[in-house]
Amino acid sequence: MNANVLEKLKVLAESAKYDVSCASSGTSRSSKKGEIGSAAGWGICHSFAEDGRCIALLKIMLTNNCMYDCAYCINRRSNDIPRATLSVSELVDLTIEFYKRNYIEGLFLSSGVVRSPDYTMERLVRVIKDLRLVHRFNGYIHMKSIPGSSQELVNEAGMYADRLSVNIEIPNETSLKILAPDKDFQSVFSPMRYIQQGVLQSKEERRKFRHAPRFAPAGQSTQMIVGATADTDKDILRLSSALYQRPTMKRVYYSGFIPVNSYDNRLPALKQPPLVRENRLYQADWLLRFYEFKVDEIVNDAYPDLDLEVDPKLSWALRNPQHFPVDINRADYEMLLRVPGIGVKSAKLIVTSRRYGRLGSLQLKKIGVVMKKAQYFITCHELGIRTIQELTPQNVRDLLIRKPARKTDHRQLILQFED
Amino acid sequence: MLVFIYDKTFEGLLTAVFDAYNRHTFPDTLIEEGEILPLFCEETHTVITDEAKSSRVWHGLEQKISASALSSLTVCWLSELPGIDLLLFNYIRKAIDAPKSIELNFGDPDVLQLAKIWKQINNERLRVIQFLRFQKTTDEIYFAPVEPIYNVLPLTLEHLKDRYAGQKWLIYDMKREYGYYYDMEEAREVRFEEKERSLLSAILDEKLLDKDELLFQQLWKTYFKSIAIKERINPRLHKQHLPVRFWKYLTEKQP
Ligand code: SF4
């Protein structure tokens, strides 16, 4: 390892950073003699970047050279940016040395496309194969499958990676083809299907032979860019919901569009990435995965976009007042989950604690229920006078989005920024 | 007011429970030997820590609450919070007296309070596991100084022994002045002598470091800077996830 790796690392991390995923969960593997490391099963963030995002994996590209020209990507062929390529041994060394110092949980490897999808994929596979077989590395490996690569190579990658992913990026095919002329849905969904086949097949085999090899045990994930096209939240979430129907799809990530190529007028000129919308999409995604919501309850033809002012669960509750108030001491778990201000943890705590006696608002507060929100949607034995029924949804909404009056410090000069 | 005086050990606390049931009187306060008696103290009882008595209480508890609730009692003990002993005492008393396990009765203030403390300690344990940074020294020992708010080092060993089984490491609590050294066989408690202590610092002196160590620190710092997206810089979120009290020991936060 020498100092010129420093420059390469800088270039290739800069190029890889727009991929949102950094999760390291889903695989448990303990260490054996003569091997390096383990996988914890739960995600461990080892640091947080200055943008507040988790750093769990060494997120890096093997090369940022690319023969494609996707409009939304910093690494597109037509951009004049510093380019670099790491050798297999440099990448392996970096991963292992970072890992041994507790900087990271493992590696998230991707690459620009050079020569052909298969040529690129083969080189990626070589890195992770080396890590596993030569260096006996047990840490987490997430590898991005190159769109358009062959089933054989996806199958090989699955032997060494914990998670494989293929990014959709653009939620509808027409826009995808306009923005990324070298890609279509086929090139994205085929590798997704190969991954799924690999995972399911290996599960089946492991049922018969306990030592049959595991295939991408942490499943697959994907990412969609938000705000680069005119697609609504309904389009995005319907696609997510369909993806979650597939048994191996673990996470869909949403990435607020950052105009890295502002000269390209196929894309909107945004001053700020749409961070609030991105956050609302993640909240809606949670409702799909953990709160037993159906996608059409969250967005539909009448409400194609998420409300930016209130979270999607509250928004649903305000549109469906007929389900409220909910009696905390009687309602079943599914209904408790639907109450704004009650999360999965507090719903579970309510169900266990009420066996010992009726719960009042003080206990709810202690359990972790956000009473500021929940109060309008519940009754327990002392509450229930001013619920959504008496107040009307509109008033509850106003009460909840009203910002506490800002205390202005008059000694301070107030500058209005305009641009 | 009844005061129990004991030696501030967990065994001592369990012995105190034994004594209380034996005497049919329960303390209003627990203090350590040598501590000043509180006002209005009417009666004191001095607990003599006794292995046999404490394990009887422990085995008694095993009949009343689950293994995980039991282990969370010892975890809470490590919080070193003022008043944690009386809280544990009251919890144990309730657990013994109740006909069925109290561990899930979060309507009870003591149960909820201990659950919260457990959560805080566990969070601190996780933070140590997340944020400790090894520096490779000339004698190939990976050294990590830490300064957790609770005494959580013992709770991190299981994870670290598994994760870093193939390297020698030393993790050291700079505040409590003790640590664990792992020699690729087992982790043993260690304490530095006075004169060695002067060599200790958040980032070790170059003389003590392996020849490539500074390069890897430099690489990690470079990576850390490059991976942040400028358009999304968010100092508040950054600090919320990465509390400032850890920065001193974080390689990537060094200039
Ligand atoms: S193929 Fe990937 S790296 Fe290449 S331009 Fe498209 S998105 Fe960027």
Side-chain angles (χ1 to χ4, degrees):
Chain A
M1 185 74 53
N2 56 43
N4 77 44
V5 176
L6 210 79
E7 193 48 38
K8 292 193 195 177
L9 176 69
K10 188 167 168 226
V11 169
L12 292 168
E14 294 267 2
S15 283
K17 69 185 172 191
Y18 297 98
D19 214 297
V20 190
S21 160
C22 202
S24 60
S25 52
T27 308
S28 291
R29 209 178 5 249
S30 67
S31 160
K32 291 186 206 75
K33 220 166 174 57
E35 302 182 346
I36 300 175
S38 62
W42 43 285
I44 302 178
C45 293
H46 284 282
S47 192
F48 289 87
E50 278 162 347
D51 52 21
R53 297 186 308 160
C54 163
I55 302 179
L57 304 174
L58 169 61
K59 190 191 295 186
I60 197 159
M61 294 181 111
L62 187 59
T63 177
N64 66 341
N65 285 299
C66 189
M67 59 190 222
Y68 289 167
D69 206 34
C70 309
Y72 44 79
C73 176
I74 182 90
N75 304 312
R76 58 188 292 188
R77 182 182 60 218
S78 48
N79 274 358
D80 180 23
I81 54 163
R83 306 275 176 179
T85 304
L86 280 167
S87 71
V88 173
S89 72
E90 284 167 340
L91 195 60
V92 165
D93 276 0
L94 270 177
T95 308
I96 289 177
E97 295 296 333
F98 277 12
Y99 189 85
K100 284 185 163 178
R101 286 165 176 74
N102 203 45
Y103 298 165
I104 53 170
E105 284 295 289
L107 175 67
F108 177 3
L109 183 61
S110 62
S111 180
V113 186
V114 276
R115 281 209 225 167
S116 72
D118 274 354
Y119 177 85
T120 313
M121 187 75 174
E122 211 188 311
R123 295 208 308 172
L124 293 177
V125 171
R126 210 181 308 155
V127 174
I128 65 172
K129 186 174 174 180
D130 224 48
L131 271 171
R132 290 282 195 237
L133 299 187
V134 180
H135 299 272
R136 299 273 152 206
F137 178 70
N138 273 326
Y140 195 89
I141 296 179
H142 177 168
M143 194 187 109
K144 237 159 101 181
S145 227
I146 302 296
S149 54
S150 68
Q151 181 152 21
E152 290 68 41
L153 285 168
V154 174
N155 280 345
E156 208 187 343
M159 311 278 290
Y160 311 115
D162 289 293
R163 171 167 286 178
L164 291 171
S165 64
V166 195
N167 285 355
I168 298 175
E169 305 292 15
I170 304 296
N172 87 62
E173 190 168 23
T174 323
S175 326
L176 178 68
K177 279 182 174 159
I178 296 171
L179 296 176
D182 306 289
K183 296 181 184 169
D184 54 21
F185 266 17
Q186 166 81 11
S187 68
V188 174
F189 288 121
S190 304
M192 274 189 185
R193 212 174 39 247
Y194 302 152
I195 297 167
Q196 168 154 316
Q197 284 168 0
V199 173
L200 296 181
Q201 206 173 326
S202 123
K203 275 205 184 127
E204 188 56 40
E205 274 159 23
R206 283 169 67 83
R207 227 168 285 158
K208 288 184 235 149
F209 318 102
R210 211 160 47 86
H211 295 292
R214 292 208 280 187
F215 187 99
Q220 56 179 321
S221 64
T222 190
Q223 164 174 302
M224 280 186 261
I225 298 175
V226 178
T229 53
D231 300 295
T232 62
D233 295 338
K234 184 190 73 182
D235 303 322
I236 294 171
L237 288 168
R238 279 200 178 150
L239 185 51
S240 303
S241 164
L243 288 167
Y244 284 134
Q245 305 299 316
R246 306 183 179 192
T248 58
M249 181 56 70
K250 296 293 187 250
R251 282 298 300 271
V252 176
Y253 291 92
Y254 308 92
S255 167
F257 174 59
I258 296 168
V260 284
N261 307 317
S262 50
Y263 59 85
D264 194 317
N265 52 24
R266 283 171 293 174
L267 291 161
L270 302 181
K271 281 213 187 82
Q272 267 287 315
L275 296 181
V276 179
R277 182 173 174 206
E278 178 194 289
N279 182 39
R280 294 286 179 237
L281 281 165
Y282 277 112
Q283 291 173 322
D285 188 273
W286 273 73
L287 296 184
L288 291 176
R289 289 187 298 142
F290 304 113
Y291 286 76
E292 299 169 32
F293 272 77
K294 302 234 170 1
V295 66
D296 285 343
E297 294 180 294
I298 305 169
V299 278
N300 48 47
D301 296 333
Y303 296 94
D305 282 304
L306 295 169
D307 193 330
L308 295 183
E309 276 182 337
V310 300
D311 67 77
K313 194 165 132 187
L314 179 55
S315 166
W316 174 84
L318 293 171
R319 294 199 308 265
N320 295 277
Q322 71 279 11
H323 297 294
F324 299 100
V326 163
D327 184 344
I328 287 297
N329 288 300
R330 278 160 208 255
D332 55 17
Y333 175 71
E334 288 71 35
M335 201 57 224
L336 289 174
L337 275 184
R338 298 232 158 192
V339 176
I342 296 185
V344 172
K345 256 189 219 144
S346 27
K348 284 194 175 139
L349 280 178
I350 290 170
V351 173
T352 39
S353 309
R354 68 187 179 188
R355 291 195 208 123
Y356 297 88
R358 288 157 65 88
L359 301 175
S361 56
L362 199 70
Q363 281 139 333
L364 290 178
K365 211 178 271 169
K366 283 205 173 156
I367 278 173
V369 174
V370 185
M371 290 301 278
K372 195 177 86 90
K373 271 188 199 170
Q375 57 177 324
Y376 306 114
F377 301 94
I378 57 172
T379 53
C380 51
H381 53 274
E382 78 254 32
L383 271 174
I385 315 138
R386 271 163 40 98
T387 74
I388 190 166
Q389 294 303 332
E390 293 77 23
L391 286 170
T392 76
Q394 185 57 50
N395 285 327
V396 170
R397 186 191 169 92
D398 292 344
L399 281 167
L400 285 176
I401 61 179
R402 194 197 298 151
K403 299 240 160 59
R406 266 266 184 80
K407 276 191 224 105
T408 325
D409 187 344
H410 293 289
R411 286 164 309 179
Q412 212 157 33
L413 191 64
I414 296 169
L415 293 173
Q416 298 289 356
F417 285 101
E418 261 168 356
D419 46 10
Chain B
M1 189 193 216
L2 171 60
V3 177
F4 274 24
I5 302 168
Y6 78 122
D7 61 358
K8 280 269 167 182
T9 64
F10 194 63
E11 284 69 39
L13 183 71
L14 294 176
T15 310
V17 175
F18 184 93
D19 286 3
Y21 276 93
N22 216 15
R23 299 162 37 109
H24 301 290
T25 51
F26 294 88
D28 302 293
T29 267
L30 292 158
I31 64 169
E32 190 178 357
E33 283 157 39
E35 240 181 283
I36 303 163
L37 286 177
L39 289 169
F40 312 114
C41 171
E42 286 140 10
E43 192 193 344
T44 64
H45 163 71
T46 303
V47 176
I48 315 283
T49 301
D50 181 319
E51 159 80 50
K53 290 177 183 170
S54 68
S55 59
R56 269 187 67 188
V57 172
W58 192 249
H59 292 310
L61 271 174
E62 279 173 349
Q63 315 300 317
K64 291 290 192 174
I65 57 178
S66 71
S68 71
L70 268 178
S71 92
S72 70
L73 295 185
T74 54
V75 169
C76 288
W77 175 257
L78 293 175
S79 73
E80 301 169 340
L81 288 170
I84 186 68
D85 46 4
L86 193 63
L87 186 60
L88 284 167
F89 187 102
N90 290 337
Y91 179 98
I92 292 171
R93 186 179 169 193
K94 277 182 190 165
I96 290 173
D97 293 346
K100 61 176 182 175
S101 168
I102 59 162
E103 63 198 69
L104 294 176
N105 182 11
F106 297 104
D108 181 291
D110 290 342
V111 177
L112 195 69
Q113 180 70 12
L114 273 184
K116 282 200 174 138
I117 291 174
W118 180 85
K119 184 118 222 288
Q120 281 170 22
I121 298 171
N122 194 46
N123 283 345
E124 187 68 359
R125 176 184 83 90
L126 295 181
R127 283 195 209 103
V128 170
I129 287 174
Q130 289 176 281
F131 300 141
L132 76 87
R133 295 287 179 263
F134 285 124
Q135 304 164 55
K136 191 177 179 186
T137 62
T138 42
D139 39 12
E140 306 224 329
I141 296 170
Y142 289 79
F143 171 67
V146 293
E147 208 179 310
I149 34 180
Y150 307 121
N151 186 13
V152 292
L153 242 51
L155 304 175
T156 62
L157 296 178
E158 204 190 329
H159 171 81
L160 295 178
K161 281 196 301 198
D162 186 41
R163 170 67 52 101
Y164 300 110
Q167 65 199 63
K168 290 182 275 183
W169 48 260
L170 171 61
I171 169 169
Y172 205 76
D173 186 328
M174 304 285 272
K175 195 164 77 193
R176 295 171 187 83
E177 298 198 345
Y178 84 105
Y180 292 92
Y181 171 62
Y182 173 80
D183 59 2
M184 308 220 275
E185 295 291 333
E186 55 176 350
R188 254 173 294 127
E189 190 176 323
V190 290
R191 251 168 233 282
F192 280 116
E193 300 292 325
E194 197 80 53
K195 61 178 194 305
E196 296 164 330
R197 235 179 276 151
S198 64
L199 292 174
L200 289 182
S201 55
I203 303 293
L204 291 180
D205 190 90
E206 202 180 330
K207 291 196 300 292
L208 300 171
L209 295 176
D210 181 81
K211 65 176 182 6
D212 283 340
E213 176 59 26
L214 283 183
L215 174 62
F216 284 111
Q217 291 188 9
Q218 195 57 44
L219 283 163
W220 176 241
K221 283 191 248 182
T222 306
Y223 176 76
F224 177 78
K225 260 194 222 100
S226 311
I227 207 70
I229 298 180
K230 288 194 305 304
E231 291 84 349
R232 303 180 63 126
I233 293 293
N234 190 339
R236 222 182 46 132
L237 197 62
H238 176 65
K239 278 190 194 151
Q240 182 189 325
H241 288 315
L242 195 68
V244 178
R245 65 190 167 92
F246 289 93
W247 289 13
K248 181 165 143 199
Y249 297 103
L250 285 169
T251 316
E252 63 270 33
K253 294 304 278 182
Q254 305 312 312

